[in-house]
Amino acid sequence: TKADEDKPEAKEETTKKGKAAAKGGKGKGKAKATAPPEPTDSAPAVAPLTSATDLAVASSSSSSSSSSSSSLSSSASPTGIYTDFSGPAVGSGHIKIISWNVAGFKSIAGKGFKAYVEQENPDILCLQETKIEEGNVVKAELPSGYEYNWYAAQKKGYSGTAMFSKEKPISVTRGMGIAKHDTEGRVITAEFNRFYLITSYVPNSGRKLEELDYRVDEWDVAFLAYMKGLEAKGKPVIWCGDLNVAHLEIDLRNPKTNKRSAGFTKEERDSFSRILASGFVDTYRHFYPEVEGAYTFWSYMMGARGKDIGWRLDYFIVSRSLMPHVRTSFIRKHIPGSDHCPIGIILDV
């Protein structure tokens, strides 16, 4: 089983020197004695979830819902990072797609998930790390008005993806059609009139990089071929989800101490670059190429989220031909409930 739940830990806060200083000698797992530098991004740090109602409160505290907007917001964030629901607005004829690694659907359902979705009002919602079989989903915990598609791992309580859409897809495919890659519920593809949408939970390379070769030489290669095959059918591709890679140095708080950490190895970053070079665009970096602090994941360890010590592991990648129709790409950094936050795009298709 791939070690996808071995997320980047608070390793970005430590160095060998810092470990020794914190302990008064040699040792492992201790934080540096000195505090890390403050984030350069203007968005405030996000406090960790403290109660089951925090997510609902975060959702309802907005002064205006995106669903009530009729045009693109003139007060759009200059960083694409939002700490409330003031934007981005959805114009007439536009659609909003949200992606979120929820770190367990049962968990997020008890933290205001339904209230968040009702406030966000996406046309399509993609989830990763759902850790649940469809038959175990409590219908009352689901937002109304959607078609629901689930894909569970063979191993119970592990991995998994889901896609909710207001419009019924033309077709839905689970997996890539390759047995070796299709046992963990990692890929759902939905065909719509103008595009294919893929939600994926990309395998992690493991704490000791024991799955690095599989990730780079097998999964990434197969997945790129899968996307190119969809494009060859005549429609562009939207690929979203927890892609388990911080592509650029500005995509994590402390790159220097993570050169051999899963998600930031040269091998993973180069592999991701090859995918983009094959005709795909990282939508967030297209609009915000130099913004720092644009994180979507924070370790549960050492208060990383409160200190905004994070990684950008979640993406919306699109076929280059679709990019003229992408109005914006954004991050809902203020939404707690998981170790990831929601991200989104707005399209004029």
Side-chain angles (χ1 to χ4, degrees):
T1 305
K2 312 304 175 291
D4 62 314
E5 294 180 41
D6 292 339
K7 290 291 186 183
E9 299 295 349
K11 187 173 180 179
E12 60 268 350
E13 291 187 279
T14 65
T15 64
K16 291 181 180 179
K17 182 178 179 181
K19 292 174 185 176
K23 211 178 173 186
K26 294 182 179 180
K28 294 183 179 180
K30 299 296 182 180
K32 288 199 296 184
T34 56
E38 290 302 310
T40 56
D41 183 63
S42 58
V46 181
L49 188 71
T50 57
S51 75
T53 60
D54 281 357
L55 182 50
V57 170
S59 299
S60 63
S61 63
S62 161
S63 60
S64 63
S65 169
S66 59
S67 62
S68 65
S69 303
S70 59
S71 61
L72 290 176
S73 174
S74 60
S75 59
S77 166
T79 63
I81 300 170
Y82 290 85
T83 56
D84 58 27
F85 284 95
S86 62
V90 182
S92 176
H94 296 173
I95 65 171
K96 182 198 291 184
I97 307 175
I98 294 291
S99 175
W100 193 8
N101 178 322
V102 294
F105 186 78
K106 286 184 179 179
S107 173
I108 202 71
K111 299 173 182 175
F113 170 77
K114 187 175 179 180
Y116 160 72
V117 177
E118 290 172 348
Q119 178 78 357
E120 184 73 75
N121 192 30
D123 295 284
I124 307 174
L125 174 64
C126 298
L127 305 178
Q128 303 87 43
E129 203 175 356
T130 50
K131 301 182 182 181
I132 194 170
E133 295 177 336
E134 183 173 1
N136 294 329
V137 176
V138 178
K139 292 184 179 180
E141 295 175 342
L142 295 172
S144 61
Y146 291 90
E147 295 280 335
Y148 309 103
N149 286 284
W150 302 83
Y151 187 26
Q154 291 179 7
K155 178 182 176 181
K156 292 185 177 181
Y158 179 78
S159 187
T161 48
M163 187 184 297
F164 304 170
S165 59
K166 291 183 178 180
E167 177 184 329
K168 185 177 181 179
I170 296 170
S171 65
V172 176
T173 304
R174 291 166 175 80
M176 289 188 274
I178 302 173
K180 184 174 183 178
H181 306 317
D182 291 346
T183 63
E184 297 178 339
R186 294 184 178 276
V187 177
I188 297 176
T189 305
E191 179 184 2
F192 293 95
N193 287 332
R194 301 291 184 88
F195 55 81
Y196 288 99
L197 174 62
I198 307 171
T199 178
S200 75
Y201 184 28
V202 174
N204 187 285
S205 293
R207 293 177 189 270
K208 297 181 180 180
L209 302 181
E210 65 273 14
E211 298 292 347
L212 179 61
D213 290 345
Y214 167 76
R215 158 69 185 273
V216 172
D217 298 333
E218 297 186 55
W219 173 276
D220 284 358
V221 172
F223 195 82
L224 175 58
Y226 177 70
M227 290 198 295
K228 297 305 287 186
L230 291 176
E231 285 186 325
K233 294 179 179 181
K235 294 179 183 179
V237 170
I238 301 172
W239 172 31
C240 70
D242 176 357
L243 307 191
N244 261 319
V245 63
H247 186 214
L248 306 174
E249 289 200 350
I250 58 173
D251 289 329
L252 72 166
R253 174 66 172 271
N254 291 311
K256 291 182 180 179
T257 57
N258 282 283
K259 297 294 186 181
R260 295 307 294 170
S261 294
F264 195 63
T265 63
K266 184 178 187 300
E267 294 91 333
E268 290 163 303
R269 296 167 65 201
D270 286 351
S271 180
F272 193 66
S273 292
R274 287 191 291 271
I275 292 174
L276 295 180
S278 299
F280 297 94
V281 179
D282 174 353
T283 59
Y284 182 81
R285 284 294 170 216
H286 172 85
F287 290 106
Y288 308 103
E290 298 180 356
V291 170
E292 299 180 20
Y295 309 134
T296 64
F297 164 82
W298 302 262
S299 169
Y300 285 128
M301 297 176 64
M302 302 185 193
R305 189 161 189 174
K307 300 172 186 175
D308 202 24
I309 301 172
W311 299 54
R312 188 171 75 100
L313 299 179
D314 304 84
Y315 297 76
F316 271 94
I317 307 297
V318 303
S319 298
R320 186 167 288 122
S321 62
L322 188 63
M323 197 61 219
H325 297 280
V326 180
R327 306 304 298 169
T328 191
S329 185
F330 60 96
I331 299 172
R332 290 280 190 228
K333 204 169 181 179
H334 70 296
I335 298 297
S338 168
D339 49 358
H340 293 251
C341 72
I343 62 170
I345 58 170
I346 294 175
L347 304 168
D348 64 0
V349 296

